[in-house]
Amino acid sequence: MVSKGWLQGVALVMIFGFAVMGFLAMMTYTDSMPQPKQVIDKQGAVVFTGAEITAGQQIFVQRGLQEFGSIVGHGGYLGPDYTADYLRRSSTFVLDALTASGIQDPHGALVTMMRTNRYEPATGSLIFTDLQISAFEAVKKHYADFFGTPTTQNGLIPKMITDPAEIHELTAFFAWTSWGAAAERPGHNYSYTNNWPAEKLVDNGPTADIIVWSGLSLVSLMVALGALFALYGRWSKRMGWQHGEETPPLSFRQPGDVAVTPAQSATAWFFFVVALMFLAQAFLGAAVEHYRVDLTSFFGIDLAQLLPINLARTWHVQLSLLWTAASFLAAGIFLAPYISGHEPKRQHWLAYILLGALALVVAGSLAGEALSIFGVSAAKDSPFWGMQWEYIDLPKFWQGLLTVGLFLWIAIIYRGIRARLKSEHRFNLPWLFFYSGLAIPAFYAVGMLAGSEVTLSVAEFWRFWVVHLWVEDFLELFTTVMVAYIFVMLGVVHRRIAMQIILLDVILYSAGGILGTMHHLYFSGTPVEHMALGAFFSALEVIPLTFLTVEAWSFLQLGARQQSRSAAPFPHRWSVMFLVAVGFWNFLGAGVFGFLINLPIVSYYEIGTALTANHAHASMMGVYGMMGVGLSLFALRYLIPANRWPDRLAKISFWSLNVGLAWMTFATLLPLGVLQLWHSVNDGYFEARSMNFITGTGNTVLEWLRMPGDLVFIFGGVVPFVWIAWLGVRYRIKGTTQDVPMEALFVETQLVGSTVARGTDAITDVSSGPGYGTGYGSRAGERDGDTRPDGGM
Amino acid sequence: MEQVNPDVWFALGYGSFLLLVAHVLDVLARRTAAATTSARSGGFEYHEGHDAWTCSEDQWLWPISFDPDNRVTRYRAAPTVCNPCPVKDDCTPSHAGREIVRNIDSWPSSEAERFHRGIACSVVVLAVVWPIAVMFQGRTGLELVILSAASALIAGCSWRLWSHLRRAPARFPDHLAALGLEENEQQKAAISATELARRSGYGSIRKTGPRAVPEKEVR
């Protein structure tokens, strides 16, 4: 069906990408910011130990402080970045002391003190000067006051951390990252974090590498774009996108005419759970947003007593991943019978077990996160209740259970399509569906390597395998395969073209996406190679997004084949419109807003600001959220009886979600991000991340301006979707058969006798099919989209 | 001269920026829709004046039929032109000449265009609202004049966008009747009954009834 060149291209990109990633993984372990065994004074007395740094890191992670503020730029946006915060406070303390001592050049002395690397690899000891130790004690007092405050003035629970030992450990962790941010790497004139954060007190400014690799990544983008469009102009006709084939007329099988299997019927419950999680996530997002305009009161209620900002954000972020992923899993289960034409007995039992496991993981992990944040003693270092790094916040046990659940899901899929796989070549569409599905649990499992006790740089490396590689690359791939397959099943895209789109997608996304993972690790204490490769390759991530936009999402060739006389309209209007929205947000949210913060020199000043949140919302909701809703509506269209299908609600939901999201980004996130970036460059990163700036009057107006969009999003977009999902449960068509048409949600018809245009004589016309083979291992001469003998009419 | 707060200039600048973004989205909406239509027609060019197409080799395809139920017109090139054509193998397997269809209702590109224009209009609403919101921050008389003028100017410049949105119908072909399961079953039963009621020319069949056709054969 497709030439071997495509497969070789995929293999080449994958092998190259993961070989380099292996090399970078090795460097992460050997050349990252070292965690000392002990920090000592000049006399050898221990100030704090490596174990205390790790303990402090675990407190930071388990008490949800990464969902409030950030460390090395990664985390929440409301609180300070603790690396920058400690660096500023300790540097100010030392500078004041040096100035008071009357030395000639206090700033020069401060720079020398902070940038001199006194780490001894042989002993694992790091030596602090007396002033650095005094600064440590002073800053420790500040954190004791900050985290021990009896009020909810910071959006955190009262008296959050009062144990002096815990404050000591937490400060030790901040002090260590701050040391790595200023102390120069051996043999280099920049710090372990590539001189991040920008801090004039210690002469932290952009390095030559940051500027050069920013320029080179721009050049790589332009060259690659030029090359792609040149190739596209040369080959696009051959690839078949713009072939405009002569096609036989189609009649789409109408909802109600398409029998559903028991497992497909079971997915109605999945979609209802997905919708409820989406609703909860949206309300939590509104709460998080409200903290930014009024930190101490939610319309008169002291919300932080029950739902502190870090818990609200933890749940908001977790649910965003869980509901979108769950919708993809459910859509996969729904599609499996259409792929094989048959559903094994008791497949629906497995589906219900998976749903139960999902519900258990969601409830268990959210409960664990709450216990962990509230500081319940049972949660401390507990695999069941102790939360972990941002985005993979689930406690270890639930993370493991979710991984097992994902493997169970792919086992369900395999069981469902096993018969079909046996008769297909290993690179045909059913196998691509299986491979892309298998990548989901496989790459999610990598997150297990990023425990809360793992050294920061190493944890960051593996964490972003999940955040970037799993989400941005392999979920993207799986959804592309699903969408392509859906359109093949609907008969509106030829199998060969679908496969070409999928393989091109793999090549383009993976070429930039695999090594592009490193754009998250510019300042995480990893070697400069991570930044160089991350900048260079992640610039290429814009290409597929641009390409697909120029291509106008080639799948949209619907209607061109809708020429049947059987009065059977296309049943998936709003699913397709959600896919149109995915294309739009892919370009704007992932492409434009993503590239806006991708260059190292921009990231250097903006990391952890509202521009990051802008990209996150526009791409996560805009791409995966819209995709999740679109896939849900596709399945629900067959599960809800035709006379109960609420087309108007689907329309309202579509427009409200999109208008609400556009408002969210343009009203608040983008302008606030630009202002914060300007403030960061002009006044300093510490100032731009301070609460004084974030909750300042001007910003508060911006935040309030977002409210209309949020209300439209929630009540016009999410609530109708919940209702549609409820209808899917309430009136779902029961599964009555184990056999369904294989890949045929349409019927090809012959056009007989049509009227000549312009009122002339009637002409009988019989269309001629394209006559494509179905590819490897399929029956010769069979046309794409042929209704199989076992596919009922 | 009164001092004007930088927030006012920012509101002015950002409102103008949003207006620009909205216009860019509007242009992209039109181009994307055109690109989709073009992709669907295999890069062939439609000439409205002639109601005909030209292919990549500059040959004409003329209308041959119109399906009024589905509002689709079909066009075909002369076989005498297509069969000796050097790019025929990449173009059509048919020996009767290359054929192309044109949907009168160009959904989904028409609704995609409407969607993009709808987003452009929601962005421009924000552009108008922005300066108004800044007016509520205790502004001086001069600042109020600047902000209200900016808001009015942006609203005026957005008129075209609303006009475009109004003239960009979704064109979803919902004129086709969607039949539910029961209606389909009733229709099938009626057709079946009609077929059975039709007198066959064979006496043997009239006596014994029609042969039961295996389900697979029906398909």
Side-chain angles (χ1 to χ4, degrees):
Chain A
M1 167 140 350
V2 291
S3 76
K4 284 188 177 172
W6 285 102
L7 305 176
Q8 287 162 351
V10 170
L12 197 69
V13 165
M14 289 286 177
I15 290 167
F16 171 76
F18 285 108
V20 176
M21 283 293 267
F23 165 74
L24 291 174
M26 190 184 70
M27 290 193 77
T28 303
Y29 280 94
T30 57
D31 285 5
S32 288
M33 179 169 72
Q35 185 173 316
K37 287 180 184 164
Q38 52 190 3
V39 176
I40 55 176
D41 65 9
K42 287 174 183 169
Q43 288 73 42
V46 175
V47 182
F48 55 86
T49 64
E52 285 173 328
I53 293 172
T54 302
Q57 176 180 289
Q58 288 186 291
I59 291 164
F60 177 76
V61 169
Q62 289 179 7
R63 299 304 305 274
L65 291 176
Q66 201 182 14
E67 297 285 3
F68 171 66
S70 58
I71 199 81
V72 292
H74 290 146
Y77 313 116
L78 180 62
D81 179 86
Y82 288 101
T83 304
D85 192 68
Y86 184 95
L87 185 61
R88 167 61 64 87
R89 291 179 192 283
S90 62
S91 299
T92 305
F93 179 91
V94 172
L95 184 63
D96 290 348
L98 288 170
T99 306
S101 71
I103 65 167
Q104 197 170 13
D105 182 11
H107 179 253
L110 169 69
V111 170
T112 305
M113 185 187 299
M114 292 298 204
R115 298 195 72 85
T116 302
N117 191 341
R118 300 181 192 82
Y119 175 68
E120 297 171 347
T123 59
S125 295
L126 170 63
I127 300 167
F128 267 16
T129 65
D130 292 344
L131 275 178
Q132 283 176 308
I133 294 166
S134 301
F136 174 77
E137 295 300 331
V139 178
K140 195 158 70 175
K141 283 195 184 75
H142 162 75
Y143 289 133
D145 292 341
F146 186 88
F147 293 115
T149 180
T151 66
T152 54
Q153 62 183 9
N154 299 316
L156 301 170
I157 56 172
K159 296 183 179 177
M160 186 175 182
I161 304 172
T162 51
D163 181 356
E166 288 191 339
I167 291 291
H168 174 79
E169 289 162 349
L170 194 59
T171 311
F173 173 57
F174 297 157
W176 168 63
T177 63
S178 163
W179 164 80
E184 290 181 354
R185 263 182 188 277
H188 296 283
N189 63 350
Y190 52 80
S191 72
Y192 285 104
T193 58
N194 291 311
N195 275 2
W196 187 90
E199 179 53 80
K200 288 171 186 168
L201 286 179
V202 295
D203 275 7
N204 257 7
T207 64
D209 284 298
I210 287 175
I211 294 164
V212 168
W213 285 108
S214 296
L216 287 177
S217 69
L218 267 178
V219 170
S220 80
L221 170 66
M222 288 171 187
V223 169
L225 265 180
L228 184 83
F229 282 115
L231 288 172
Y232 177 68
R234 174 76 179 79
W235 298 107
S236 63
K237 288 216 169 188
R238 283 205 174 195
M239 287 194 294
W241 272 275
Q242 299 201 7
H243 208 270
E245 297 95 344
E246 296 161 302
T247 51
L250 290 183
S251 168
F252 296 108
R253 291 177 183 278
Q254 293 302 292
D257 283 350
V258 179
V260 294
T261 65
Q264 287 179 319
S265 185
T267 59
W269 282 103
F270 275 86
F271 294 119
F272 184 55
V273 170
V274 160
L276 290 178
M277 286 198 285
F278 185 19
L279 185 65
Q281 193 232 338
F283 276 122
L284 287 161
V288 171
E289 172 60 17
H290 191 86
Y291 273 110
R292 294 178 70 95
V293 292
D294 190 353
L295 201 51
T296 54
S297 157
F298 184 81
F299 302 107
I301 301 166
D302 191 1
L303 188 64
Q305 297 276 2
L306 291 173
L307 186 69
I309 168 78
N310 51 343
L311 180 59
R313 187 174 185 270
T314 300
W315 283 353
H316 176 68
V317 168
Q318 278 304 287
L319 286 171
S320 74
L321 287 168
L322 288 167
W323 81 257
T324 48
S327 68
F328 300 160
L329 304 190
I333 292 171
F334 185 85
L335 289 182
Y338 292 142
I339 293 171
S340 65
H342 175 77
E343 180 174 286
K345 284 200 169 108
R346 289 182 284 282
Q347 181 85 333
H348 61 296
W349 289 11
L350 291 172
Y352 281 122
I353 289 169
L354 181 66
L355 179 62
L358 175 72
L360 186 68
V361 166
V362 171
S365 64
L366 296 188
E369 287 150 8
L371 294 173
S372 197
I373 283 171
F374 275 95
V376 175
S377 56
K380 191 174 167 62
D381 299 339
S382 162
F384 292 95
W385 313 117
M387 70 182 271
Q388 302 187 82
W389 299 97
E390 184 201 25
Y391 298 122
I392 48 170
D393 302 79
L394 304 85
K396 204 78 172 175
F397 172 79
W398 303 108
Q399 187 187 17
L401 199 62
L402 181 57
T403 308
V404 170
L406 291 173
F407 276 108
L408 169 64
W409 167 76
I410 196 64
I412 292 171
I413 296 292
Y414 179 75
R415 185 172 182 262
I417 63 174
R418 183 173 48 189
R420 178 75 194 277
L421 293 178
K422 282 178 184 171
S423 64
E424 288 283 350
H425 187 278
R426 286 185 186 273
F427 289 103
N428 267 1
L429 212 44
W431 277 102
L432 290 182
F433 180 79
F434 175 69
Y435 294 145
S436 59
L438 185 61
I440 291 178
F443 280 90
Y444 185 80
V446 174
M448 301 290 285
L449 295 169
S452 60
E453 74 291 347
V454 174
T455 310
L456 176 66
S457 302
V458 174
E460 291 280 276
F461 181 82
W462 294 121
R463 185 164 80 92
F464 282 107
W465 273 59
V466 176
V467 177
H468 181 100
L469 208 52
W470 183 68
V471 174
E472 292 184 40
D473 207 30
F474 287 99
L475 276 184
E476 178 94 44
L477 170 61
F478 180 67
T479 51
T480 303
V481 173
M482 270 206 295
V483 171
Y485 221 145
I486 283 170
F487 282 136
V488 166
M489 289 170 183
L490 289 167
V492 294
V493 169
H494 282 297
R495 192 179 280 104
R496 183 175 60 87
I497 293 175
M499 286 181 66
Q500 286 176 350
I501 289 174
I502 290 164
L503 294 171
L504 184 75
D505 188 81
V506 175
I507 291 169
L508 290 180
Y509 275 100
S510 300
I514 294 174
L515 291 173
T517 307
M518 295 301 104
H519 71 199
H520 293 276
L521 276 82
Y522 291 159
F523 317 117
S524 298
T526 47
V528 74
E529 285 83 355
H530 291 61
M531 185 178 72
L533 290 166
F536 190 83
F537 282 94
S538 65
L540 305 182
E541 288 185 280
V542 181
I543 291 171
L545 305 173
T546 309
F547 176 74
L548 286 175
T549 305
V550 170
E551 255 298 293
W553 199 245
S554 302
F555 294 139
L556 297 181
Q557 298 180 47
L558 308 167
R561 303 188 68 193
Q562 192 177 325
Q563 311 164 47
S564 76
R565 296 168 56 81
S566 59
F570 185 69
H572 299 292
R573 177 184 185 178
W574 297 110
S575 294
V576 165
M577 287 315 295
F578 271 104
L579 291 178
V580 170
V582 167
F584 172 77
W585 289 108
N586 228 339
F587 178 68
L588 182 68
V592 176
F593 292 160
F595 191 71
L596 190 64
I597 62 173
N598 186 64
L599 296 181
I601 188 64
V602 178
S603 190
Y604 183 79
Y605 290 105
E606 79 70 43
I607 188 170
T609 66
L611 274 184
T612 305
N614 180 50
H615 166 57
H617 283 78
S619 57
M620 189 69 205
M621 179 58 222
V623 179
Y624 293 108
M626 299 293 175
M627 182 76 81
V629 177
L631 289 171
S632 303
L633 292 185
F634 172 82
L636 287 166
R637 191 74 176 88
Y638 290 118
L639 295 172
I640 298 173
N643 59 341
R644 295 202 180 271
W645 175 252
D647 202 64
R648 190 173 168 76
L649 275 186
K651 179 182 181 177
I652 291 168
S653 178
F654 169 76
W655 279 104
S656 299
L657 287 176
N658 281 286
V659 169
L661 185 59
W663 191 281
M664 194 187 297
T665 55
F666 285 110
T668 300
L669 296 170
L670 179 64
L672 183 61
V674 171
L675 285 171
Q676 216 172 349
L677 175 60
W678 186 88
H679 198 52
S680 174
V681 176
N682 193 60
D683 301 322
Y685 185 77
F686 171 85
E687 283 78 6
R689 287 293 307 273
S690 69
M691 276 201 185
N692 285 342
F693 172 76
I694 290 169
T695 58
T697 313
N699 291 343
T700 305
V701 172
L702 285 186
E703 305 281 11
W704 276 115
L705 204 55
R706 178 175 150 174
M707 197 174 193
D710 284 2
L711 291 174
V712 167
F713 185 91
I714 294 171
F715 294 105
V718 187
V719 172
F721 174 59
V722 173
W723 183 253
I724 295 170
W726 163 245
L727 291 180
V729 171
R730 174 78 179 77
Y731 298 109
R732 75 194 159 114
I733 295 169
K734 298 284 188 293
T736 52
T737 178
Q738 303 295 125
D739 296 300
V740 289
M742 188 197 285
E743 289 184 10
L745 295 171
F746 67 97
V747 182
E748 280 188 8
T749 61
Q750 294 285 308
L751 197 67
V752 285
S754 43
T755 318
V756 154
R758 300 179 176 185
T760 50
D761 301 334
I763 293 175
T764 299
D765 179 278
V766 178
S767 45
S768 49
Y772 288 120
T774 51
Y776 304 110
S778 62
R779 285 168 284 185
E782 200 170 62
R783 277 205 332 247
D784 278 358
D786 275 350
T787 311
R788 312 258 169 166
D790 53 345
M793 291 286 281
Chain B
M1 178 77 181
E2 269 185 89
Q3 278 290 319
V4 176
N5 191 297
D7 287 354
V8 173
W9 298 125
F10 181 78
L12 205 69
Y14 192 63
S16 307
F17 168 74
L18 288 180
L19 180 67
L20 181 69
V21 167
H23 276 282
V24 168
L25 287 177
D26 189 68
V27 170
L28 286 177
R30 192 177 63 243
R31 290 179 67 93
T32 304
T36 309
T37 307
S38 163
R40 217 167 50 199
S41 59
F44 286 26
E45 191 181 353
Y46 180 67
H47 301 269
E48 201 166 358
H50 296 83
D51 186 25
W53 296 79
T54 49
C55 72
S56 58
E57 302 300 300
D58 265 350
Q59 299 299 326
W60 287 91
L61 291 84
W62 298 101
I64 54 161
S65 65
F66 174 61
D67 175 0
D69 289 340
N70 298 295
R71 295 166 58 78
V72 169
T73 309
R74 298 158 74 83
Y75 303 77
R76 188 180 285 165
T80 49
V81 173
C82 282
N83 290 337
C85 178
V87 298
K88 178 184 179 298
D89 290 345
D90 285 334
C91 184
T92 177
S94 168
H95 295 293
R98 173 64 201 265
E99 198 175 275
I100 196 167
V101 298
R102 185 170 72 91
N103 275 42
I104 308 301
D105 305 314
S106 53
W107 192 87
S109 56
S110 54
E111 193 158 23
E113 184 177 359
R114 185 172 171 77
F115 161 68
H116 291 133
R117 292 197 153 138
I119 295 291
C121 287
S122 66
V123 169
V124 94
V125 166
L126 190 56
V128 173
V129 166
W130 194 284
I132 295 171
V134 176
M135 288 164 79
F136 290 95
Q137 291 180 290
R139 300 291 164 201
T140 64
L142 176 64
E143 288 171 342
L144 288 174
V145 168
I146 292 171
L147 289 166
S148 51
S151 194
L153 191 66
I154 291 167
C157 292
S158 70
W159 182 254
R160 251 183 81 203
L161 302 176
W162 295 100
S163 164
H164 286 175
L165 177 65
R166 203 177 56 249
R167 288 181 305 179
R171 289 187 182 146
F172 181 73
D174 49 7
H175 54 275
L176 298 176
L179 302 177
L181 183 62
E182 284 177 24
E183 291 160 312
N184 266 304
E185 291 300 327
Q186 284 167 6
Q187 195 179 63
K188 283 176 190 171
I191 292 168
S192 178
T194 308
E195 287 298 314
L196 287 172
R198 188 182 296 160
R199 280 173 59 93
S200 164
Y202 296 97
S204 58
I205 292 179
R206 280 206 303 273
K207 286 171 189 166
T208 60
R211 181 174 67 91
V213 183
E215 209 177 332
K216 275 193 176 181
E217 256 182 70
V218 173
R219 290 172 190 153

